[in-house]
Amino acid sequence: MKVIGIETSCDETGVAIFDTHSGIVAETLYSQVAVHAEYGGVVPELASRDHIRKLVPLMREVFAKAGLNFGDIDGVAYTSGPGLIGALMVGASTGRALGMAWDVPTIGVHHMEGHLLAPLLEENAPQPPFVALLVSGGHTQLVEVLALGDYQLLGESVDDAAGEAFDKVAKMLDLDYPGGPHVARLAEQGQAGRFTFPRPMVDRPGLDMSFSGLKTAALYAVQDLQQASANGQLHEQDKADICLAFEQAVVDTLAIKCRRALEQAGHKTLVMAGGVSANQRLRSKLADATAKLGAKVYYPRPAYCTDNGAMIAFAGALRLQAGQADDLRLQIRPRWPLTELSAISTD
Ligand code: KG4
Ligand code: ZN
């Protein structure tokens, strides 16, 4: 079965074709970063308009790369939530229209399920049951995956998502959007020990997390340095030291919660996914933490950590293959708890 996947939930337009026999056949991605850069964050209306502009050319490109015709496609998957309402509408209406035109079933995919299943696209794929750490710009969640599609929420951020905190700290330091990769790069030059930021909520039992206090601690450090500086500007080294302290605090907090989640759920497999799972410090910290427990961590290649069409084509293909498909309603769900999904039968 060949399924075309369309991702338009935020600021990336992604299209990919997944074949249930041979895997990802072709993919393409367009990032709107340049469109939103001058605003320091995603402007929803500009995002929708840019998806409209780019989606059809990207689809043509993916068919050309794959050497396939429209008639070769057996199903269409598109992100139907969570995300920006206008942006989701572009992918959903295009996906549904193509399904009708090509007379194939369509399916709306949960964006975070796409992230969660992305590590299964790798050669050494994890098998449920496992604990998943979902860390993106909009979500930070620990999820117990009993079977594909059967998700129990173990804990989540009570305020900012980890990626959002990275982006806000980057903004305080005049770094470009999205901030995560820039903060991580500067942190490599940081001096350990100059600043120590709190590890929020680690001394409390439970698996919820909080990142907004940590962001405020970073803001106070920035303000103190600005006041102490003759021209009100921070030196590159100051910025690097703040980035390092911030990144260490986020990574430590996530590692403590992941260890606790594995112990609580009694699983030996941890899967991480979402934009922040591209972070090298987080990857190596979680590799150490899981090794100490005799457990193993899995994550997608960096290109499948951040938003992409491949993860949507894959998640959609699993559900279409299991006989699920859209009904006649055109439904998008800007807010959509992952726990409302149904199990994907693999019989
Ligand atoms: O999953 P994603 O592409 O989009 C959402 O679904 O939100 O995640 C984007 C987030 C942004 O906040 C970005 O700053 C963060 O992931 N990010 C990183 C890194 N790469 C992307 N954060 C820390 N380190 C990175 N290397
Ligand atoms: Zn995402």
Side-chain angles (χ1 to χ4, degrees):
M1 182 179 206
K2 291 186 186 64
V3 175
I4 188 159
I6 302 170
E7 157 61 34
T8 65
S9 68
C10 190
D11 58 347
E12 249 110 28
T13 322
V15 182
I17 296 174
F18 177 78
D19 184 332
T20 48
H21 295 294
S22 54
I24 295 296
V25 182
E27 60 191 305
T28 176
L29 184 76
Y30 165 76
S31 169
Q32 301 180 350
V33 163
V35 173
H36 304 289
E38 65 174 296
Y39 305 98
V42 178
V43 183
E45 181 56 27
L46 294 183
S48 318
R49 286 188 221 168
D50 223 36
H51 286 306
I52 293 174
R53 205 165 61 85
K54 280 290 178 185
L55 187 51
V56 172
L58 287 173
M59 295 190 86
R60 289 194 194 286
E61 187 186 325
V62 125
F63 275 102
K65 275 188 180 175
L68 294 173
N69 299 311
F70 300 156
D72 296 320
I73 295 298
D74 306 297
V76 182
Y78 57 89
T79 306
S80 56
L84 301 171
I85 186 163
L88 290 167
M89 281 300 293
V90 178
S93 47
T94 307
R96 292 299 300 271
L98 289 175
M100 246 176 255
W102 296 340
D103 197 19
V104 295
T106 67
I107 186 137
V109 171
H110 192 294
H111 180 80
M112 297 312 293
E113 177 171 66
H115 277 302
L116 195 159
L117 298 178
L120 274 68
L121 280 167
E122 303 303 338
E123 227 160 65
N124 184 13
Q127 292 302 320
F130 55 73
V131 170
L133 170 68
L134 301 178
V135 267
S136 70
H139 294 80
T140 299
Q141 296 180 321
L142 276 162
V143 176
E144 183 179 19
V145 179
L146 296 167
L148 294 185
D150 185 354
Y151 308 127
Q152 310 286 328
L153 187 64
L154 299 173
E156 64 185 333
S157 174
V158 296
D159 40 53
D160 292 354
E164 189 180 355
F166 265 99
D167 295 340
K168 287 180 178 167
V169 167
K171 206 167 179 178
M172 287 172 205
L173 297 172
D174 282 328
L175 305 177
D176 285 342
Y177 174 85
H182 299 288
V183 169
R185 211 166 301 128
L186 255 185
E188 284 171 24
Q189 265 93 56
Q191 262 172 37
R194 179 162 170 216
F195 298 99
T196 306
F197 295 144
R199 273 75 175 141
M201 291 178 77
V202 293
D203 47 357
R204 279 190 241 169
L207 294 169
D208 283 341
M209 295 159 264
S210 159
F211 293 102
S212 89
L214 172 55
K215 177 194 70 193
T216 309
L219 178 64
Y220 289 153
V222 171
Q223 288 173 342
D224 286 350
L225 287 168
Q226 279 170 336
Q227 275 163 14
S229 143
N231 62 0
Q233 301 290 317
L234 268 61
H235 296 292
E236 277 307 289
Q237 191 59 49
D238 295 334
K239 291 187 182 183
D241 296 345
I242 289 176
C243 286
L244 176 61
F246 169 78
E247 190 182 51
Q248 283 175 327
V250 173
V251 165
D252 281 356
T253 306
L254 291 172
I256 290 166
K257 296 288 176 172
C258 284
R259 202 180 57 214
R260 221 178 264 175
L262 285 171
E263 284 171 342
Q264 182 180 312
H267 300 313
K268 291 285 181 199
T269 305
L270 177 70
V271 166
M272 61 196 281
V276 184
S277 67
N279 185 278
Q280 282 305 333
R281 189 178 304 276
L282 181 61
R283 286 176 177 227
S284 55
K285 183 88 189 182
L286 289 183
D288 288 349
T290 46
K292 281 187 193 134
L293 292 176
K296 219 177 150 207
V297 62
Y298 295 81
Y299 36 73
R301 71 193 76 172
Y304 290 169
C305 288
T306 44
D307 291 350
N308 63 86
M311 67 185 194
I312 302 304
F314 176 58
L318 291 182
R319 289 191 176 274
L320 286 168
Q321 208 176 18
Q324 297 178 27
D326 289 330
D327 58 23
L328 286 174
R329 289 171 297 174
L330 173 61
Q331 211 186 8
I332 53 151
R333 304 199 46 189
R335 292 177 182 277
W336 185 8
L338 189 66
T339 45
E340 284 182 12
L341 296 182
S342 58
I344 305 172
S345 121
T346 46
D347 309 336

